[in-house]
Amino acid sequence: MENDEGQGRVSLREVSKRAPRILQRGDSLLLDEGAAPTLNDLAGALQFALGDGRIWLNDNRMVLMQADVLGALQKQMIRDVGMDKTRVNCMRIGWQEGVKLAELVKTRFAQENLTAALAAGPRLHTLEGYAKVVTKRFEFDAKRKTYLGEFDWIDSVEGTQHFRNFGVCDCPACWMQVGVPSGYTSTLLGFPVIFREIECVAQGAARCLVIGKDVDSWGDDVPELQIFDLARDRTVREGPWNPALAIPELSAAGPSGTDPAEAIIGQSAPIQRTKRLLEKASPFSEAVLLLGEPGTGKEFFARHLHARGTTPKGPFVAVNCAALGNVSPSDADELFGPEGHIAQARGGTLFLNDVLSLGLGLQARLVAFQHDRSDRPRALRIIAATGPSPLIAMAEGRLRSDLYNLLSVLPIEVPSLRERRDDIPLLITHFLSLHRKRLRKTVQGLSGATYDLLLRYDYPGNVRELSNLIERGLIFAEAGGFIEINHMFSSLEKLPEVARAAKPHLKAATADLVDGHNSIEILEIELLRAALVETDWNVSRAARKLGLSRAKLDYRIKKFGLLRS
């Protein structure tokens, strides 16, 4: 329908522009070429933590792998288990990757419409280096559960490697790559969409031709349903992703559905080692010494150990040893008296937090108490916590060696957050859910720039600092909006790495301002100015680079009086 000023008629393209969030059907031909997330937007989600050994695509850790290595891996799989099993396994791996990529778009670019989100799939496929994906056209109707799409893959890695290793193949060979759009599109639309390779470079074609259709459009023979563990009569989800109508609730429970107050959040190697040691120590009543930096959650781990120990229903008494540091040994009833902490902890656990703060006299009384209990059944378990280097404290005369030997029967190290960076995405989700429920405030999540910063920040205050930052961000963020950098970081923090962490692709000159220890407000002004200059004052593009909406960037330009020079 053409635009007609006299009768107020508008084209379908204009309707799509004005109300993208309410349309449950779409056509790639009606989508603006520059609709976010663009390839540059998606590239902004790719973070290289140089020197840290980590590459992030939003909250997913990535690795760089040579194409020849991928080809060699598939070649060996074919030799070991045969062509058919390799094809099925590769397709399943591709499906899972597609699901992950869809979750990335849903969380990081939740403000965009469904057509734009689907268009981001080929861009992500290109970004990851599998092939240059050219979208010829796709259209869908979420209500009717129909989809049709056609794409060209130019210079496909998987097909090229198969051709090099085996010569001309009699069937398409981009197995993993064809699983990716199947998982991606099915996750976003909420019903199964199957992609098949019609032509492939492994067959000698100039490029790969890929077709995607809903299951019914493929007819009766759809073996992919079994490969991807789908059923024809059920959808992948209850309905298509609709960012405008609902903000998904995050679960505060741990991976196994345990109480969030007891669950240890994390899957990294350091935290898994700590979990295993806690499990081994839990059936016994011997003393445990928790070693770790401030803010790593040593009391939390002590409570976790108590809940799984021999007296889980007994009392858990936490003692702040710093408050007893100047108490004389003869006047220590708060700890040793008839109504003191030790008496209160009988039948349970006594947790001595920051045990190095105890004076040497109190340490001697604690040694005597431990020796008095050595010949009779233990009435309580002692868990002590200290910094990561108690041996240095012994060498400096601040910790008695006999007390150390008594408390360190079972030493367990609690890793710093810098040592367990792979757990940061899980912890962000965990704390966001917990604080959102406690504060009864709904936000869509973190902006892209904020997420990037949290992945790269060093956290001198460890897990406690991350929790505090998210709590602060929730309080200061607008209801229903996104948590921005300025909501989390105030002028109290001096962050020499904020500019590089927030947007490392911005001009390096911005980082120099932060090295001068400027306040967050000054940093924000310069980040805004740098993004505007880099985009030649294209406000929409600058907003996408900064992870802001156009309206929010307009507001900040007026607020800070930014002028084009």
Side-chain angles (χ1 to χ4, degrees):
M1 184 169 62
E2 295 299 326
N3 192 11
D4 190 329
E5 294 182 350
Q7 301 183 26
R9 299 166 63 190
V10 295
S11 67
L12 180 59
R13 180 189 294 271
E14 186 63 25
V15 172
S16 178
K17 288 181 181 179
R18 293 182 182 181
R21 291 181 173 87
I22 65 173
L23 295 181
Q24 290 296 296
R25 55 187 300 181
D27 189 327
S28 60
L29 297 182
L30 301 178
L31 187 66
D32 288 340
E33 185 176 348
T38 64
L39 189 58
N40 284 337
D41 295 329
L42 297 169
L46 186 62
Q47 298 290 321
F48 290 83
L50 299 178
D52 192 36
R54 288 174 173 85
I55 303 171
W56 297 95
L57 185 59
N58 204 52
D59 60 345
N60 294 324
R61 187 173 174 182
M62 312 290 288
V63 295
L64 288 177
M65 178 184 291
Q66 294 177 351
D68 289 345
V69 175
L70 177 62
L73 177 62
Q74 286 194 349
K75 181 179 180 181
Q76 189 62 48
M77 290 174 62
I78 290 172
R79 288 177 173 175
D80 291 343
V81 300
M83 187 83 76
D84 289 340
K85 288 185 177 180
T86 300
R87 176 179 60 85
V88 169
N89 289 335
C90 287
M91 289 178 68
R92 287 173 176 168
I93 293 172
W95 171 277
Q96 292 299 324
E97 182 175 358
V99 172
K100 286 284 188 180
L101 293 176
E103 294 296 331
L104 181 156
V105 171
K106 288 161 60 178
T107 55
R108 178 146 185 158
F109 304 101
Q111 75 279 15
E112 305 302 342
N113 64 70
L114 188 53
T115 307
L118 289 169
R123 295 166 184 165
L124 280 167
H125 210 78
T126 300
L127 178 67
E128 290 190 312
Y130 285 118
K132 178 183 178 181
V133 183
V134 178
T135 301
K136 302 178 79 171
R137 185 179 183 180
F138 69 81
E139 54 184 336
F140 67 94
D141 189 323
K143 186 175 182 180
R144 296 182 178 181
K145 297 183 179 180
T146 61
Y147 177 91
L148 176 62
E150 184 176 348
F151 306 84
D152 282 339
W153 290 348
I154 300 172
D155 293 330
S156 165
V157 165
E158 200 172 4
T160 300
Q161 289 296 319
H162 194 96
F163 183 85
R164 289 178 179 175
N165 289 325
F166 298 100
V168 177
C169 185
D170 59 358
C171 62
C174 297
W175 305 318
M176 185 169 63
Q177 288 178 221
V178 85
V180 174
S182 298
Y184 182 88
T185 308
S186 300
T187 300
L188 288 181
L189 287 178
F191 57 85
V193 175
I194 303 302
F195 281 73
R196 290 177 179 173
E197 201 175 8
I198 308 303
E199 300 177 11
C200 181
V201 293
Q203 297 173 293
R207 82 295 180 251
C208 302
L209 174 62
V210 182
I211 302 293
K213 296 181 185 179
D214 56 274
V215 172
D216 290 339
S217 296
W218 282 116
D220 295 331
D221 186 17
V222 189
E224 293 90 347
L225 289 175
Q226 182 177 359
I227 293 174
F228 298 139
D229 192 25
L230 303 173
R232 184 183 290 272
D233 59 349
R234 72 177 177 90
T235 60
V236 179
R237 297 178 60 221
E238 294 182 357
W241 168 58
N242 190 334
L245 300 180
I247 300 171
E249 286 294 327
L250 301 175
S251 172
S256 60
T258 57
D259 184 342
E262 297 182 1
I264 295 177
I265 305 299
Q267 300 175 350
S268 64
I271 204 65
Q272 290 293 344
R273 180 176 182 274
T274 300
K275 285 181 181 180
R276 287 196 298 271
L277 292 176
L278 289 171
E279 290 171 0
K280 291 181 178 180
S282 61
F284 305 96
S285 58
E286 274 70 19
V288 172
L289 182 62
L290 298 175
L291 310 169
E293 296 178 5
T296 51
K298 294 186 288 293
E299 181 172 345
F300 172 83
F301 286 94
R303 291 183 181 275
H304 181 89
L305 184 58
H306 167 75
R308 287 155 180 76
T310 57
T311 58
K313 296 184 179 180
F316 179 90
V317 179
V319 180
N320 180 10
C321 294
L324 302 174
N326 296 324
V327 176
S328 64
S330 60
D331 188 23
D333 288 346
E334 186 176 352
L335 183 60
F336 296 101
E339 304 295 330
H341 296 307
I342 290 177
Q344 296 173 18
R346 293 192 182 278
T349 299
L350 178 69
F351 175 58
L352 299 174
N353 196 11
D354 195 11
V355 70
L356 290 181
S357 298
L358 290 177
L360 294 178
L362 286 179
Q363 291 184 28
R365 283 201 61 176
L366 197 56
V367 170
F369 169 76
Q370 282 287 85
H371 280 308
D372 289 343
R373 301 168 60 248
S374 60
D375 296 329
R376 54 189 171 84
R378 302 195 172 188
L380 59 85
R381 181 177 200 170
I382 293 181
I383 301 177
T386 183
S389 303
L391 297 180
I392 295 177
M394 274 200 303
E396 295 174 349
R398 295 185 291 114
L399 175 64
R400 291 176 58 104
S401 59
D402 49 0
L403 178 62
Y404 171 76
N405 292 330
L406 287 171
L407 296 180
S408 63
V409 176
L410 299 173
I412 298 177
E413 184 176 356
V414 180
S416 68
L417 192 50
R418 296 183 303 280
E419 298 173 285
R420 46 180 296 210
R421 285 187 179 274
D422 288 355
D423 296 332
I424 292 177
L426 293 174
L427 289 168
I428 290 174
T429 299
H430 175 71
F431 289 131
L432 186 61
S433 178
L434 286 181
H435 293 316
R436 186 166 58 185
K437 289 181 178 179
R438 182 179 61 82
L439 297 171
R440 296 184 178 181
K441 185 172 181 179
T442 301
V443 298
Q444 295 200 45
L446 306 177
S447 70
T450 306
Y451 212 111
D452 295 341
L453 187 150
L454 293 182
L455 289 177
R456 299 167 65 92
Y457 182 50
D458 279 340
Y459 297 100
N462 288 294
V463 177
R464 182 191 301 147
E465 183 178 12
L466 174 59
S467 176
N468 291 344
L469 287 172
I470 292 177
E471 182 179 12
R472 182 194 295 173
L474 270 167
I475 292 173
F476 287 154
E478 299 294 333
F482 287 87
I483 300 176
E484 308 291 351
I485 294 175
N486 62 300
H487 295 148
M488 283 191 170
F489 293 94
S490 71
S491 57
L492 296 175
E493 290 89 9
K494 306 297 183 182
L495 304 172
E497 295 298 326
V498 168
R500 301 184 186 95
K503 283 290 172 183
H505 61 276
L506 294 178
K507 291 187 176 180
T510 306
D512 297 334
L513 294 158
V514 187
D515 287 332
H517 301 286
N518 290 288
S519 70
I520 294 299
E521 181 173 304
I522 295 176
L523 169 64
E524 182 182 5
I525 292 172
E526 294 307 323
L527 282 174
L528 296 175
R529 192 188 305 278
L532 288 166
V533 170
E534 185 175 342
T535 59
D536 195 25
W537 279 78
N538 184 315
V539 178
S540 296
R541 288 177 55 202
R544 289 196 294 268
K545 281 183 174 293
L546 294 165
L548 300 173
S549 67
R550 168 67 186 257
K552 288 184 177 181
L553 181 53
D554 281 333
Y555 168 77
R556 283 165 172 77
I557 291 173
K558 294 178 182 178
K559 174 184 175 181
F560 297 124
L562 299 179
L563 299 175
R564 184 170 187 172
S565 57

